Amino acid sequence: MEADRRTAILEAAARVIARRGVRGLRVPEVAAEAGVSTALAYYHFKDRAGILHRTLEFISDRAERCTVDRPAREYDNDPHHDLERSLLLEFQDRPEVRENSIAWGELQATAVFDPELRAALAGARLIWIGELTSTLARIRPAAPAPALTESAERLTATLEGLSTRWLSGLLSTGHARELMRDAIAMELPGRPAPHHHPLFD
């Protein structure tokens, strides 16, 4: 029950951030959105900063679930498809995915002015870069580690830029995925283009 309430508060905080931005995050509003008392929200997370930092972790974990919790398919052991899945499933017309992406962008923007949040965001980003680097290493086992990390950084920067344009309505979901596929192809020269499949189309 206690874990359920904590999750409800974090889900509510993500919704509030996506709707009103980080500056609009107020503990009483988060509590009302979650259907709990303000005192209970403070009990679980101490203060607004505590809610903000835990929401960052929650959003990061939920983003991973959105790209992992899929039915098993015959190509799931293919690292190239693993890479595509990690990057392309960031562009989905599902409300929770869009909400997550908006909230993540808001947290990134706020981190420019908040050193503590910046450190937490950097930690989450390092985990993401590490996972992409590991997948790239399965595709290019002979490549040096620094080159793989740089490739992961470039793909992440491309993903973040495309995500901003997609959320702003400047790119359709299909076009955002197409551009992301092009970026993947540029990072993996000499590899045949992967077959498109229902997971992304």
Side-chain angles (χ1 to χ4, degrees), residues 22-23 48 52-53 105-119 121:
V22 173
R23 291 186 179 184
R48 180 182 180 276
L52 196 57
H53 285 79
E106 284 290 334
L107 288 164
Q108 280 191 306
T110 303
V112 174
F113 308 102
D114 184 334
E116 288 186 18
L117 185 58
R118 192 183 313 152
L121 194 70

Side-chain angles (χ1 to χ4, degrees), residues 2 4 12 14 16 28 42-43 45 50 53 58 65 72 82 93 106 109 119 123 140 149 167 171 175-176 187:
E2 189 165 310
D4 290 343
V16 170
Y42 279 118
Y43 169 76
F45 299 101
H53 285 79
F58 172 77
R65 289 197 301 274
D82 287 346
D93 290 321
E106 284 290 334
R140 301 172 55 199
T149 300
L167 291 169
L171 287 177
H175 192 39
E187 292 296 334

Side-chain angles (χ1 to χ4, degrees), residues 4-104:
D4 290 343
R5 286 177 176 169
R6 289 171 64 88
T7 299
I9 293 168
L10 293 173
E11 288 173 342
R15 287 194 297 273
V16 170
I17 290 171
R19 188 169 63 236
R20 297 170 56 85
V22 173
R23 291 186 179 184
L25 183 72
R26 301 287 182 271
V27 178
E29 184 178 355
V30 170
E33 182 85 18
V36 301
S37 68
T38 301
L40 186 64
Y42 279 118
Y43 169 76
H44 282 298
F45 299 101
K46 187 178 177 181
D47 53 22
R48 180 182 180 276
I51 291 178
L52 196 57
H53 285 79
R54 290 304 306 275
T55 302
L56 170 62
E57 296 172 9
F58 172 77
I59 290 170
S60 182
D61 290 343
R62 189 166 67 174
E64 183 176 355
R65 289 197 301 274
C66 286
T67 60
V68 172
D69 290 351
R70 310 292 296 185
R73 299 174 188 269
E74 68 274 11
Y75 39 70
D76 276 353
N77 290 325
D78 182 338
H80 203 173
H81 282 114
D82 287 346
L83 180 66
E84 273 207 333
R85 180 174 53 208
S86 296
L87 296 168
L88 298 183
L89 287 180
E90 293 289 327
F91 304 105
Q92 298 182 68
D93 290 321
R94 292 165 53 192
E96 66 270 28
V97 174
R98 295 186 71 88
E99 176 185 282
N100 229 52
S101 295
I102 293 168
W104 181 263

Side-chain angles (χ1 to χ4, degrees), residues 179-196:
L179 292 172
M180 194 70 244
R181 281 192 183 101
D182 290 344
I184 294 170
M186 290 179 68
E187 292 296 334
L188 301 171
R191 288 188 60 88
H195 297 295
H196 293 187

Side-chain angles (χ1 to χ4, degrees), residues 128-195:
W128 166 263
I129 294 294
E131 290 172 352
L132 274 190
T133 300
S134 296
T135 303
L136 286 165
R138 291 166 57 206
I139 300 171
R140 301 172 55 199
L148 294 173
T149 300
E150 289 172 5
S151 184
E153 290 274 10
R154 285 191 295 270
L155 287 171
T156 299
T158 301
L159 173 66
E160 291 171 347
L162 289 175
S163 181
T164 298
R165 296 181 65 195
W166 170 64
L167 291 169
S168 300
L170 300 175
L171 287 177
S172 68
T173 301
H175 192 39
R177 289 176 177 172
E178 181 183 350
L179 292 172
M180 194 70 244
R181 281 192 183 101
D182 290 344
I184 294 170
M186 290 179 68
E187 292 296 334
L188 301 171
R191 288 188 60 88
H195 297 295

